[in-house]
């Protein structure tokens, strides 16, 4: 135990939750635009397809 009365497990858990939060944040920052662009492409393809045929 260190001087704050935390065990190594506590430190590991707080580190793990920080890492998970960061992963989640970056997942949203990177993933959301990709999903939005993908949806726009699908919509555009369907719309253009209806206009042509």
């Amino acid at each position: 135990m260190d001087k704050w009365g935390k065990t190594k497990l506590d430190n590991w858990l707080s580190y793990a939750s920080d890492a998970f939060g960061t992963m989640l944040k970056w997942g949203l920052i990177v993933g959301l635009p990709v999903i939005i662009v993908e949806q726009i492409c699908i919509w555009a393809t369907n719309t253009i397809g209806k206009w042509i045929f």
Side-chain angles (χ1 to χ4, degrees):
M1 288 177 69
D2 61 15
K3 62 184 174 190
W4 308 111
K6 276 182 150 189
T7 61
K8 280 196 165 107
L9 180 67
D10 287 333
N11 288 335
W12 187 85
L13 284 173
S14 66
Y15 172 77
S17 67
D18 282 355
F20 185 70
T22 306
M23 265 172 28
L24 219 77
K25 191 170 69 183
W26 279 105
L28 285 175
I29 291 168
V30 173
L32 266 180
V34 169
I35 291 167
I36 290 166
V37 168
E38 199 177 352
Q39 292 304 313
I40 290 169
C41 285
I42 291 168
W43 172 82
T45 306
N46 289 340
T47 307
I48 291 166
K50 283 177 189 154
W51 286 345
I52 293 169
F53 303 110

